[in-house]
């Protein structure tokens, strides 16, 4: 999304919302109660009068949320991903990201980034209808090979913004645009282009899957099948993101985007989810599984829906693979308020709302979660606190994540011209568990005190050591020490100074473990 809306865009969309027909229920008219349910019986995690929320207590009247599910590696260990997006591929003539093999060791060894969300474009993969561009896939494979050589994991993200390049941004090839001849006037602020009639019509045709429109999704699926056929089993590949921030076209609810309100089951957006989006995802999952039974498949909610804290009650997707399902929920997190004001204030509840919404969703569909995008202009007032709030929340919820973005500029953490780190890098680089030999129950990193604590339970069938990224040169120049509640002699440690990875091996009782890392 990157970012969702800038100042005047939010004001414009707010005006659109305030100009809706009088019979359109506003959040107040709909009867939303703080922390409760609206008139349709849908929880609104965004509404609260309590002010900023430091954390979410998963135990409510509805009972505690189920234990978090995790991605796992080939030894059964819980796999935690920290990494980044690189949006430079959008403007590259060959649709390739700006990083190269010489950069990957820095990602992995210096920053502990074991993951990248790699943008893939339909227009690049199938520029001519029915023909896959194998040269484009060759370039993707080169990036995957670089990642594999250094132990970095890659998710291939089928990326679109505002449907297609004709409408300002990226995604579909020209031949896949069906706009019914409706008008399009390029908006100065890219996100407002979503509300242009030609763009809405294009999304409506794509998601209809009726008559001649069926060919659009079928060709889109052909690209994912080509990716899966080519890259299944590649040591760097973890899986596929089915579509970046899909839009409901004419079903888009402006109030929901601006206010963070989950609309009722009979609203146009809810019907779009149930009747269009979920069937689309299921068709893609079934087609991928026909050629790749093992890679993870990531899916996102509608554009603007989960990012502002609305609970998404999406039906369960079915993974036809043999064994544990490998479907991952990958929502994004952006604050409309900070982009409207260019600051992160005490009354901005975006992070707390997002956390509460994910906890609520997990009661009915407990997918592993990857926070696919989040970020902020580091020059905004409050930017440091915002990043701390998001990252501490992610640790608290035991999430994997990918920061937006590596791109040069005020959101980035790296200046490629001067080859220097930006001020936000010491927040993004953290002590964190990359692989846990069991089921994590909690972890936390206090970057000011430089104390890290991990708790996990043994799980049958898991092999290998627990691996923790510990950037000793950055945070522990005088060394660090490891303590545990486990009995002396029941565990051992070793440290790889090149990868900056601490390995912990446990054996025998107890079944639950706690380890703490602090400065020596």
């Amino acid at each position: 999304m990157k970012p969702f809306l800038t100042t005047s865009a939010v004001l414009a969309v707010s005006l659109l919302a305030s100009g809706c027909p009088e019979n359109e229920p506003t959040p107040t008219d709909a009867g939303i109660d703080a922390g409760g349910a609206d008139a349709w019986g849908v929880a609104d995690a965004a509404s609260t009068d309590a002010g900023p929320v430091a954390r979410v207590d998963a135990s409510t009247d509805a009972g505690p949320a189920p234990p978090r599910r995790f991605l796992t590696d080939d030894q059964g260990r819980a796999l935690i991903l920290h990494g980044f997006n690189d949006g430079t591929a959008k403007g590259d003539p060959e649709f390739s990201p700006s990083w190269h093999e010489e950069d990957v060791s820095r990602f992995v060894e210096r920053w502990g980034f074991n993951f990248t969300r790699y943008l893939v474009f339909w227009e690049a993969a199938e520029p001519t209808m029915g023909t896959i561009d194998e040269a484009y896939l060759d370039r993707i494979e080169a990036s995957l090979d670089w990642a594999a050589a250094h132990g970095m994991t890659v998710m291939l993200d089928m990326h679109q913004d505002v449907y297609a390049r004709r409408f300002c941004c990226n995604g579909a090839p020209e031949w896949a645009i069906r706009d019914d001849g409706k008008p399009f006037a390029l908006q100065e602020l890219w996100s407002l282009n979503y509300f242009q009639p030609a763009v809405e019509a294009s999304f409506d045709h794509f998601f209809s899957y009726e008559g001649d429109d069926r060919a659009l999704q079928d060709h889109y699926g052909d690209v994912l099948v080509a990716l899966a056929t080519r890259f299944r089993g590649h040591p760097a590949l973890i899986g596929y993101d089915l579509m970046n921030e899909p839009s409901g076209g004419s079903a888009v609810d402006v109030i929901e985007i601006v206010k963070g309100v989950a609309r009722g089951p009979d609203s146009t957006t809810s019907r779009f989810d149930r009747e269009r989006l979920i069937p689309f995802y299921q068709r893609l999952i079934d087609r991928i599984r026909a050629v790749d039974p093992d890679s993870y498949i990531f899916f996102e909610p509608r554009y603007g829906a989960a990012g502002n804290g609305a609970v998404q009650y999406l039906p369960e997707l079915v993974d036809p693979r043999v064994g544990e399902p490998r479907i991952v929920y990958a929502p994004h997190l952006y604050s409309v308020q900070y982009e409207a004001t260019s600051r992160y204030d005490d009354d901005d509840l975006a992070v707390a709302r997002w956390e509460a919404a994910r906890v609520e969703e997990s009661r009915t569909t407990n997918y592993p979660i990857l926070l696919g995008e989040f970020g902020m202009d580091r020059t905004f007032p409050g930017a440091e606190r915002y990043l701390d709030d998001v990252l501490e929340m992610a640790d608290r919820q035991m999430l994997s994540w990918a920061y937006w973005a590596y791109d040069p500029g005020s959101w980035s953490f790296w200046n490629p011209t001067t080859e220097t780190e930006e001020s936000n890098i010491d927040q993004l680089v953290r002590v964190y568990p990359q692989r846990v030999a069991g089921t994590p129950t909690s972890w936390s990193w206090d970057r000011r005190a430089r104390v890290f604590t991990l708790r996990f339970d043994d799980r049958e069938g898991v092999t290998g050591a627990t691996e923790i990224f510990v950037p000793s040169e950055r945070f522990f120049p005088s060394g660090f020490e490891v303590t545990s509640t486990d009995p002396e002699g029941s565990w051992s440690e070793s440290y790889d100074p090149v990868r900056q990875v601490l390995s912990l091996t446990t054996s025998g009782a107890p079944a639950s473990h706690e380890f703490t890392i602090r400065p020596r």
Side-chain angles (χ1 to χ4, degrees):
M1 194 158 65
K2 311 69 59 182
F4 166 56
L5 296 171
T6 55
T7 302
S8 52
V10 171
L11 294 176
V13 173
S14 298
L15 289 173
L16 284 172
S18 64
C20 289
E22 291 183 0
N23 61 354
E24 172 67 18
T26 66
T28 302
D29 296 333
I32 292 173
D33 187 19
D38 63 16
W40 299 290
V42 180
D44 173 32
S47 299
T48 176
D49 297 323
V53 180
R55 63 185 300 147
V56 170
D57 183 355
S59 298
T60 68
D61 293 339
R68 170 73 63 217
R69 289 180 55 201
F70 294 92
L71 290 81
T72 55
D73 67 7
D74 57 3
Q75 295 178 268
R77 294 177 294 183
L79 179 63
I80 314 303
L81 306 175
H82 283 191
F84 61 91
N85 296 262
D86 185 350
T88 58
K90 295 179 180 182
D92 184 78
E94 295 188 330
F95 300 94
S96 297
S98 61
W99 55 270
H100 301 283
E101 183 172 14
E102 58 268 25
D103 300 308
V104 181
S105 62
R106 179 173 62 248
F107 300 154
V108 175
E109 297 168 4
R110 183 171 170 181
W111 297 331
F113 292 160
N114 60 351
F115 173 69
T116 186
R117 184 169 175 259
Y118 189 103
L119 277 56
V120 176
F121 304 95
W122 185 9
E123 65 173 313
E126 194 184 10
T128 302
M129 184 168 58
T131 302
I132 300 297
D133 186 344
E134 295 295 337
Y136 178 56
L137 270 57
D138 290 344
R139 295 192 292 275
I140 296 173
E141 185 167 16
S143 296
L144 286 169
D145 290 345
W146 299 338
H150 296 272
M152 189 168 74
T153 299
V154 178
M155 175 239 277
L156 300 179
D157 161 44
M158 285 291 287
H159 206 86
Q160 72 79 35
D161 295 292
V162 198
Y163 194 75
R165 185 175 299 274
R166 183 201 293 182
F167 303 134
C168 87
C169 298
N170 54 81
E174 184 70 17
W175 58 261
I177 298 174
R178 298 181 181 180
D179 61 7
D180 296 334
K182 292 186 176 181
F184 174 79
L186 182 65
Q187 303 298 300
E188 180 181 357
L189 300 165
W190 73 271
S191 50
L192 288 183
N193 291 300
Y194 271 109
F195 304 102
Q196 288 293 301
V199 175
E200 292 184 342
S202 296
F203 277 110
D204 288 347
H205 279 290
F206 180 84
F207 281 110
S208 76
Y209 206 61
E210 297 172 356
D212 292 342
D213 287 339
R214 293 171 65 98
L216 294 172
Q217 285 191 30
D218 289 343
H219 279 286
Y220 186 93
D222 290 344
V223 173
L224 274 160
V225 169
L227 293 172
T229 302
R230 178 76 173 264
F231 301 122
R232 61 189 174 196
H234 193 289
L237 179 73
I238 192 165
Y240 320 91
D241 191 337
L242 299 178
M243 177 178 279
N244 179 71
E245 299 177 352
S247 172
S250 60
V252 169
D253 188 327
V254 177
I255 292 178
E256 180 182 78
I257 292 177
V258 175
K259 300 294 187 181
V261 177
R263 308 303 274 169
D266 294 325
S267 69
T268 56
T269 49
S270 294
R271 290 199 304 273
F272 170 79
D273 285 347
R274 183 171 63 250
E275 299 171 6
R276 304 292 190 188
L277 185 59
I278 291 301
F280 164 65
Y281 282 154
Q282 191 64 60
R283 282 189 287 272
L284 294 179
I285 290 168
D286 293 344
R287 292 193 66 186
I288 290 171
R289 283 294 179 243
V291 294
D292 183 349
D294 295 324
S295 297
Y296 281 93
I297 297 175
F298 301 78
F299 76 98
E300 303 183 26
R302 276 172 290 103
Y303 169 73
N308 200 31
V311 177
Q312 303 300 301
Y313 289 100
L314 299 176
E316 190 83 34
L317 290 162
V318 177
D319 191 344
R321 74 183 297 269
V322 176
E324 183 79 9
R326 290 190 170 182
I327 298 178
V328 182
Y329 186 41
H332 300 171
L333 193 170
Y334 292 100
S335 166
V336 171
Q337 181 172 322
Y338 78 56
E339 294 186 33
T341 61
S342 297
R343 60 188 303 116
Y344 182 64
D345 291 320
D346 289 344
D347 63 351
D348 191 329
L349 302 180
V351 178
R353 290 168 173 171
W354 193 95
E355 181 177 13
R358 305 295 83 77
V359 170
E360 181 61 27
E361 289 164 353
S362 70
R363 301 183 195 284
T364 54
T365 54
N366 190 23
Y367 298 102
I369 298 179
L370 180 136
L371 174 50
E373 288 185 21
F374 69 98
M376 187 177 189
D377 188 319
R378 62 179 181 278
T379 66
F380 283 4
E384 180 179 357
R385 185 169 60 83
Y386 166 77
L387 204 51
D388 276 344
D389 284 355
V390 174
L391 293 169
E392 289 170 9
M393 179 275 292
D395 282 356
R396 190 162 58 244
Q397 294 298 314
M398 299 183 288
L399 306 181
S400 294
W401 52 255
Y403 179 78
W404 189 277
Y406 180 65
D407 309 21
S410 56
W411 287 56
S412 186
F413 49 84
W414 175 250
N415 186 323
T417 302
T418 60
E419 294 192 337
T420 55
E421 297 174 343
E422 301 290 3
S423 58
N424 53 4
I425 192 66
D426 282 340
Q427 295 173 267
L428 292 166
V429 175
R430 311 171 68 74
V431 179
Y432 77 100
Q434 295 184 328
R435 300 173 191 267
V436 178
T439 302
T441 55
S442 71
W443 70 75
S444 64
W445 165 238
D446 185 331
R447 73 180 181 94
R448 292 174 176 82
R450 302 192 175 183
V451 175
F452 171 81
T453 300
L454 168 67
R455 299 179 181 89
F456 66 96
D457 295 336
D458 288 337
R459 187 160 60 87
E460 186 177 357
V462 177
T463 60
T466 292
E467 298 181 357
I468 304 172
F469 180 70
V470 184
S472 57
E473 295 179 2
R474 184 179 301 271
F475 296 134
F476 304 106
S478 299
F480 62 87
E481 63 178 7
V482 183
T483 58
S484 177
T485 58
D486 285 17
E488 186 175 351
S490 67
W491 62 278
S492 61
E493 63 176 291
S494 62
Y495 184 70
D496 181 340
V498 175
R499 294 172 56 231
Q500 299 196 94
V501 169
L502 172 71
S503 295
L504 300 173
T505 302
T506 58
S507 60
S512 297
H513 311 274
E514 178 179 317
F515 290 91
T516 299
I517 301 169
R518 56 171 52 88
R520 190 183 303 279

